[in-house]
Amino acid sequence: MPAGANNESGRDTVTLIREEGLAEARIVAVDDRELIPEDRGIHIPLVGSAITIGRSEDNDVVIHHKKLSRRHARLFFEGGKWLIEDLRSTNGVWINGERIGVHTLCHGDEIRLGPALFRVDMPEAAAAGTQDRPGRTQDDATVMAAEQEEAEGTLLLNDVRASEALLKAMESERAGAPSSETGPAGQPVAPSQTRHAVRTRARWPAAAAVVLTGLVAAGVWFAYFNGDRERDEIVAVLQTKFDGFIEDYETDTGERFDQSLRVLEELAAELNLAGSRYPDSLPLLEMQVRALFLKFEREFGAVLFTEEFDRMLTLIDETQLRLEVLLQRFAGGDSQASQVTTEVQSLLELAKIMARIRGFVLRFPRPAVDAPRQPEAVDLREARTWKEDFFRIKRANHFALSVTYPYFQRLVDRIDGQSLRVVNRWDNLLRRKKLRQE
């Protein structure tokens, strides 16, 4: 297919060029040994306005490898330059050995996507000296922040030098000041000149105090600004990893259960470390809370349809306790008001109801007139209450279940389709039995 031709969906696509010399500015594969044969030798011409790369077939450039996310990265043209952006992939986009968010491409840059290594080839840019920044491998936002930090550091340094000059002037003034009201030759000094000298000397300490106060304030602000920026960068990286986990594992049907738990435990450890360092960060708290529930739903799902009823309740109690500990450590205010916290607390209540419904089914598994064990009226009243609460909480959390917790959504649907059917059959059976008796 020639470059710029339409694919079956009707959108413009960028053809992967596997011949030499067809594009002046391009990205070429330099190490693709781990890719399948069909994906080797990829050359991506930098044409058009945007190019998406990923594992899914709807990308402009498709690389069939498990270490690439479905939508992994995007190349786009902006401000006369080509940039690459990480689309919240699990394994990230690496430029010259550093993980980036957004990065302006330069001639000779090395791009790693999963197991594949690519090189940016911009012959014209290299010759003209444009879009070529040796040694600068940070993304634009980081570069701008570094330049701003350098400027602020210069300002701070100038304040220090100004204060040093001021203090030296004070010492000089004090050293050269006459000890009595006489001039250098021993001549009397007029009273007005004496008062002027006293007022001048009195102003030096006040001016020094103003400069030093400004210096301290500038230093405090500078440290606070840098701490805020570092925290935001860490949050952004962890958010990318978290979103990548949801994309890659939460919709999985269970074939990679052990792997998902291992990845989740590693992510949770990183989140807990960052949370202890920045206890006032609400985004970090919310990711910790969500990670806690993601781990719970997997462990809960492993026992929900077994006979381990006590284990179900123990898991719920332990998770609620861990959630309380997380909220107590949070130093940023009223964490109870967080939508994510409220959401997870509600879903844990739903899990408790699901466990009780399963407990009912374990006690009364076979709805039949001749069943050896049959529920009493009080048992059915309890089961009806659970059923009402089940559907109420399920409706209230429809968005969270479908978007963030599809794994738990499948457990909910299974309770609805299997366990509640047993409850309904018992309910109908005993109603008919009561009518016959009347």
Side-chain angles (χ1 to χ4, degrees), residues 200-410:
T200 302
R201 289 194 296 271
R203 280 197 294 268
W204 280 111
V210 170
V211 171
L212 291 174
T213 301
L215 177 62
V216 171
V220 170
W221 177 87
F222 185 64
Y224 178 79
F225 175 80
N226 276 321
D228 256 13
R229 189 179 60 198
E230 182 186 62
R231 181 200 61 200
D232 292 345
E233 288 173 355
I234 290 173
V235 169
V237 169
L238 290 173
Q239 185 68 60
T240 297
K241 289 186 177 182
F242 186 87
D243 293 343
F245 178 87
I246 296 295
E247 179 186 1
D248 287 347
Y249 292 102
E250 190 63 7
T251 55
D252 197 288
T253 56
E255 292 86 349
R256 300 184 295 166
F257 180 82
D258 292 338
Q259 182 182 354
S260 69
L261 268 180
R262 186 168 59 254
V263 173
L264 186 57
E265 285 171 358
E266 292 172 359
L267 177 59
E270 289 186 67
L271 287 168
N272 291 338
L273 181 62
S276 63
R277 185 173 181 180
Y278 303 106
D280 60 342
S281 172
L282 184 59
L284 277 176
L285 171 72
E286 291 183 338
M287 280 190 280
Q288 286 178 280
V289 169
R290 280 181 165 151
L292 176 68
F293 187 80
L294 289 170
K295 185 172 185 291
F296 161 78
E297 67 178 3
R298 282 159 173 74
E299 295 174 340
F300 184 66
V303 298
L304 181 58
F305 296 97
T306 68
E307 296 184 1
E308 299 182 57
F309 177 69
D310 291 339
R311 178 59 180 155
M312 299 177 207
L313 297 180
T314 300
L315 278 172
I316 295 168
D317 292 341
E318 288 176 350
T319 305
Q320 287 178 325
L321 181 60
R322 290 191 185 105
L323 179 61
E324 289 176 9
V325 171
L326 268 179
L327 300 182
Q328 288 170 3
R329 286 200 333 228
F330 179 61
D334 186 10
S335 58
Q336 298 292 340
S338 164
Q339 180 181 350
V340 171
T341 301
T342 305
E343 181 182 274
V344 167
Q345 288 170 331
S346 179
L347 290 176
L348 286 172
E349 283 302 313
L350 181 58
K352 189 172 290 186
I353 292 167
M354 291 162 65
R356 287 170 178 163
I357 292 171
R358 279 294 301 157
F360 179 93
V361 173
L362 290 172
R363 283 185 294 152
F364 313 110
R366 190 171 68 87
V369 177
D370 60 345
R373 296 186 65 183
Q374 298 187 11
E376 301 291 335
V378 64
D379 297 319
L380 278 174
R381 279 198 298 271
E382 271 190 332
R384 291 188 200 110
T385 302
W386 298 334
K387 186 169 73 171
E388 290 172 4
D389 291 340
F390 173 85
F391 286 114
R392 174 179 55 80
I393 299 175
K394 178 185 174 183
R395 283 193 300 270
N397 292 281
H398 171 73
F399 181 80
L401 287 169
S402 59
V403 175
T404 310
Y405 310 109
Y407 185 94
F408 194 69
Q409 170 79 72
R410 290 194 294 275

Side-chain angles (χ1 to χ4, degrees), residues 55-69:
R55 198 174 71 233
S56 176
E57 295 293 337
D58 61 352
N59 288 287
D60 299 314
V61 176
V62 181
I63 301 177
H64 304 88
H65 196 282
K66 63 183 180 181
K67 289 188 179 180
L68 268 81
S69 297

